[in-house]
Amino acid sequence: MLKKPLLIMAAIFCLTGLTQVRDASGRTPAAGESFPDLTFDKSDNSAVQEYLGWQGKGPFRLSQIKADIIIIEVFSMYCPYCQKEAPIVNKLYDTISKRGDLRKRIKLIGIGAGNTSFEVDVFRKEYGILFPLFPDESFDVHKKVGEVRTPYFFVMKINPDGSNKLIYSRVGSIQDHDRFLELILRESGLK
């Protein structure tokens, strides 16, 4: 359980997050648009590499993830809404992982806005997160996606030519993991 000082920090983070500051373009990527090809530090975790389908050394790009659909949750360990959302997102990941027709086609990652590796690891352990989480300590990724509030979900479909198209871009809870997955399958054409 988070201690009182962390709860106070969470409240401050959420209150300051209510007014969004946008990137230079002035907006967050919306459904129907393309999503930036973000760069992440390479994980030394072989399970993460295997899940995402990439290998090599140094940073990797979002476009290197082997999937037809990529779900991205922008979260913060200090956000009480993200903490409440964690079991729902875990169920989504579990459902996808158990479906042989989807487990290699849909990948899920989390980006810890303003979170260090330590904070991301605390969140992972506290909420039993099994999908890859990446720190964004300096808010670099967060700025590139319009400094969204948390939790924020982006779902992109990867096109045959390697480009992508967002099919979902919204702040807040996905509420029901089964309905969310059905929406993704319908919007992406995988269903």
Side-chain angles (χ1 to χ4, degrees):
M1 196 57 94
L2 292 174
K3 303 219 186 282
K4 192 173 185 175
L6 289 178
L7 290 175
I8 292 168
M9 288 174 61
I12 292 168
F13 183 83
C14 287
L15 289 174
T16 59
L18 291 177
T19 56
Q20 293 187 37
V21 179
R22 304 296 181 176
D23 64 4
S25 70
R27 41 194 294 309
T28 298
E33 299 175 355
S34 63
F35 192 77
D37 192 13
L38 305 172
T39 301
F40 300 93
D41 288 334
K42 182 176 189 303
S43 171
D44 293 331
N45 183 323
S46 62
V48 168
Q49 291 179 0
E50 183 178 334
Y51 172 74
L52 297 177
W54 53 263
Q55 297 176 351
K57 297 185 184 223
F60 79 97
R61 300 190 77 71
L62 192 63
S63 60
Q64 292 176 287
I65 296 174
K66 305 293 184 229
D68 296 322
I69 302 293
I70 300 173
I71 302 168
I72 300 171
E73 178 188 13
V74 179
F75 73 96
S76 171
M77 81 165 272
Y78 299 106
C79 169
Y81 302 109
C82 301
Q83 296 163 9
K84 186 177 177 183
E85 191 72 4
I88 299 167
V89 181
N90 282 341
K91 287 179 187 175
L92 175 66
Y93 171 79
D94 188 54
T95 299
I96 292 167
S97 296
K98 288 180 177 175
R99 286 192 50 180
D101 61 328
L102 298 180
R103 99 174 110 236
K104 292 191 183 231
R105 299 184 79 187
I106 301 176
K107 301 298 177 182
L108 179 62
I109 66 169
I111 300 169
N115 294 166
T116 64
S117 293
F118 175 79
E119 291 167 320
V120 165
D121 286 341
V122 168
F123 189 82
R124 179 189 342 271
K125 290 173 187 166
E126 180 73 23
Y127 298 100
I129 309 296
L130 297 176
F131 56 89
L133 301 178
F134 297 95
D136 183 27
E137 183 175 1
S138 61
F139 290 101
D140 289 338
V141 171
H142 192 242
K143 290 173 187 168
K144 289 178 183 172
V145 298
E147 297 189 67
V148 296
R149 291 180 292 162
T150 57
Y152 200 100
F153 292 89
F154 294 102
V155 181
M156 72 181 76
K157 179 180 180 182
I158 308 302
N159 298 316
D161 66 359
S163 65
N164 71 67
K165 177 182 170 186
L166 281 175
I167 57 173
Y168 188 91
S169 176
R170 291 195 189 134
V171 68
S173 176
I174 59 173
Q175 297 179 0
D176 181 302
H177 71 282
D178 286 326
R179 274 193 271 152
F180 184 71
L181 181 57
E182 286 302 313
L183 172 71
I184 291 168
L185 295 175
R186 187 174 54 252
E187 293 295 318
S188 68
L190 289 183
K191 185 172 183 175

